[in-house]
Amino acid sequence: MKRYIKSIIAIVFVLFAIESFGQDSTKFFFDEFRLSGNRTMLNDNNTKDRNGFGLGIYHSFFQKKTFTIIFGLEYNLTSQLKKQMNISHFGYSSNVTYTISTISIPVGLRLNIGKKIKYFAEIGGFLDINISSNSRGTTTLYSFSDSLYHTTSFNEYAKLKNCFGAYLGLGVRIPISKYELIIVPDYKVGFNPLYSNQDIITNSYFRINVGLKI
């Protein structure tokens, strides 16, 4: 996973060096700011979707061109519920809510259309670095001492992996005074499992982003 982080940083550094040549070096690097609401898209026989939120800052390389490259830093909190998770031959967890906090690094290509009001399509890849994960639910275990099953509640740290994947978004930029209102619905698909044992946990989610471009 460290290899992916180093590759993204190297690519962004090269792009920044190319674009900055001959421009005002005092200009603030990030030119786009967004808040977002999200909902996981994982619903199946054992999983229920839950809501979350996030915020992000972005930089547009070659922003006067038809095609621009977008680099960003985001915080995203997502949540999902697992109806049952196996622990061992003698127990299981039920109604487990996983809450996942990540620092996300997206890099994408944006196609811009229009003059005053600008419409765009964006596609790219991302790395979600897990900074905090929590699981909350109930555990049922068989006790050999009394030959009975006992149920207890838990609220604890969940050891989950980082995630990488792809995203697709469609958006609009609407002029407001010196700025632009930006609205971007997008969908992020995680490629690798966050947890893989007897059960598997993945993460994919739909977002509505609203913010300003300066």
Side-chain angles (χ1 to χ4, degrees):
M1 192 62 68
K2 291 182 179 179
R3 182 183 62 186
Y4 294 114
I5 298 174
K6 290 180 180 178
S7 297
I8 290 173
I9 293 173
I11 292 169
V12 172
F13 179 79
V14 171
L15 290 170
F16 179 61
I18 293 172
E19 193 202 33
S20 297
F21 183 75
Q23 292 189 8
D24 183 1
S25 61
T26 63
K27 185 178 179 181
F28 187 57
F29 180 69
F30 293 103
D31 53 40
E32 210 169 286
F33 306 86
R34 306 181 201 164
L35 297 175
S36 65
N38 68 61
R39 186 169 180 82
T40 46
M41 304 290 286
L42 304 163
N43 195 63
D44 58 31
N45 291 333
N46 193 45
T47 311
K48 288 191 174 182
D49 298 324
R50 290 292 184 264
N51 297 324
F53 64 91
L55 54 89
I57 53 177
Y58 309 85
H59 178 76
S60 305
F61 295 95
F62 321 115
Q63 58 181 297
K64 294 183 179 181
K65 305 294 184 180
T66 302
F67 288 94
T68 58
I69 295 174
I70 304 298
F71 164 76
L73 292 173
E74 303 172 344
Y75 168 79
N76 289 300
L77 182 144
T78 62
S79 184
Q80 58 183 278
L81 182 141
K82 291 290 186 182
K83 297 177 184 177
Q84 184 170 308
M85 296 289 287
N86 293 308
I87 298 176
S88 67
H89 295 296
F90 307 105
Y92 59 91
S93 297
S94 56
N95 294 320
V96 185
T97 298
Y98 288 91
T99 303
I100 305 166
S101 294
T102 62
I103 295 296
S104 300
I105 305 173
V107 178
L109 180 66
R110 178 182 289 179
L111 168 63
N112 303 283
I113 300 173
K115 293 185 178 180
K116 189 173 181 180
I117 296 179
K118 300 179 179 67
Y119 301 92
F120 62 88
E122 187 175 317
I123 187 169
F126 68 87
L127 173 64
D128 278 355
I129 302 171
N130 195 331
I131 59 172
S132 176
S133 300
N134 180 266
S135 60
R136 183 180 72 253
T138 58
T139 298
T140 302
L141 290 172
Y142 180 78
S143 173
F144 290 95
S145 61
D146 57 12
S147 300
L148 295 173
Y149 282 94
H150 296 272
T151 299
T152 57
S153 299
F154 67 89
N155 188 346
E156 61 189 23
Y157 168 76
K159 188 176 181 180
L160 302 179
K161 298 178 181 178
N162 298 331
C163 178
F164 64 92
Y167 73 92
L168 175 66
L170 297 173
V172 61
R173 291 159 49 191
I174 303 170
I176 299 178
S177 186
K178 296 180 181 180
Y179 308 104
E180 290 179 316
L181 172 66
I182 184 167
I183 303 172
V184 193
D186 64 10
Y187 181 48
K188 298 181 67 173
V189 182
F191 290 159
N192 64 303
L194 309 184
Y195 172 85
S196 180
N197 198 346
Q198 297 183 65
D199 301 289
I200 295 177
I201 298 174
T202 59
N203 202 17
S204 298
Y205 47 102
F206 174 78
R207 301 187 303 177
I208 298 289
N209 302 271
V210 178
L212 288 177
K213 185 172 182 61
I214 61 176

